[in-house]
């Protein structure tokens, strides 16, 4: 197994540690630890792709596992935030539905011998979602350490961030489906 694929597997293996630190409040500085683990996992995402492209180490296994690892990490955070009352479930379900639709479209396209690349709005959606998750974790860590007042409206700010992510997700999904509607020609 090559280095990029090992980094992708590491990202998946970090998810339980991330959730442990995020959800178990009895762990001292649990929010800070959750932030650090999430940040480390996010760095592996940037590294694995860079190394795979620059060294010619792109594999079918990596093409399959990398997007799975990304979605597992992001949705672990979003579902945990929902459980904690920091994310609206409707927005999270919309985000999950978009991923199912796009993944399904890619499978249909692959069956037709076509590879569908990610669009700019999808990349923007991913970046904004990752930044929002990190921002929420940072706010939680700052509140836990006393550097941010306990009266800070974390829930309200978190909801706004997640709804922004949800809106970008719906837009990017609709755009992606529209741009690739030719994949459905003759199938209706």
């Amino acid at each position: 197994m090559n280095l990029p694929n090992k980094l992708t597997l590491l990202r998946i293996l970090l998810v339980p540690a991330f959730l442990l630190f995020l959800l178990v409040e009895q762990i001292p500085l649990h929010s800070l630890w959750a932030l650090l683990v999430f940040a480390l996992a996010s760095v592996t995402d940037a590294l694995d792709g860079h190394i795979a492209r620059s060294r010619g180490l792109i594999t079918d296994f990596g093409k399959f596992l990398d997007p799975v690892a990304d979605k597992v990490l992001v949705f672990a955070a979003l579902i945990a935030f929902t459980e904690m009352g920091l994310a609206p479930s409707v927005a999270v379900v919309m985000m999950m539905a978009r991923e199912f639709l796009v993944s399904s479209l890619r499978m249909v396209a692959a069956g037709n011998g076509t590879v569908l690349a990610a669009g700019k709005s999808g990349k923007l959606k991913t970046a904004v979602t990752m930044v929002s998750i990190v921002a929420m974790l940072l706010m939680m860590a700052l509140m836990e350490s006393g550097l941010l007042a306990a009266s800070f409206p974390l829930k309200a700010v978190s909801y706004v961030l997640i709804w922004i992510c949800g809106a970008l997700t719906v837009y990017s999904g609709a755009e992606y489906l529209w741009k690739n509607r030719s994949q459905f020609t003759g199938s209706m």
Side-chain angles (χ1 to χ4, degrees), residues 34-58:
L35 171 61
L36 294 174
V37 172
F38 188 88
L40 175 62
S42 298
V43 167
T44 68
D45 185 26
L47 275 177
D48 67 10
H50 173 73
I51 292 169
R53 287 185 298 277
S54 68
R55 297 183 186 175
L57 298 174
I58 296 173

Side-chain angles (χ1 to χ4, degrees), residues 86-162:
L86 296 175
S89 59
V90 172
V92 173
V93 170
M94 288 175 11
M95 295 163 93
M96 291 175 73
R98 184 259 188 212
E99 296 307 326
F100 286 129
L101 285 170
V102 168
S103 296
S104 297
L105 177 59
R106 285 185 174 145
M107 284 190 282
V108 168
N112 295 333
T114 305
V115 175
L116 300 180
K120 288 181 183 178
S121 65
K123 291 179 181 181
L124 175 64
K125 176 265 314 174
T126 299
V128 169
T129 301
M130 296 298 273
V131 168
S132 295
I133 291 169
V134 168
M136 291 168 66
L137 292 168
L138 180 60
M139 289 183 286
M140 292 170 61
L142 290 172
M143 288 179 75
E144 184 179 26
S145 66
L147 296 174
L148 193 59
S151 61
F152 181 79
L154 177 64
K155 182 176 180 175
V157 172
S158 297
Y159 265 58
V160 167
L161 290 173
I162 297 302

Side-chain angles (χ1 to χ4, degrees), residues 12-35:
I12 292 172
L13 293 173
L14 287 172
V15 170
F18 164 69
L19 289 173
L20 175 76
F21 288 125
L22 182 61
L23 297 172
V24 179
E25 295 179 7
Q26 292 78 13
I27 298 172
L29 301 174
H30 74 99
S31 297
L32 177 61
W33 286 111
L35 171 61

Side-chain angles (χ1 to χ4, degrees), residues 67-80:
V68 170
D70 296 345
K71 287 165 186 43
V72 168
L73 177 64
V74 167
F75 284 110
L78 293 174
I79 291 168

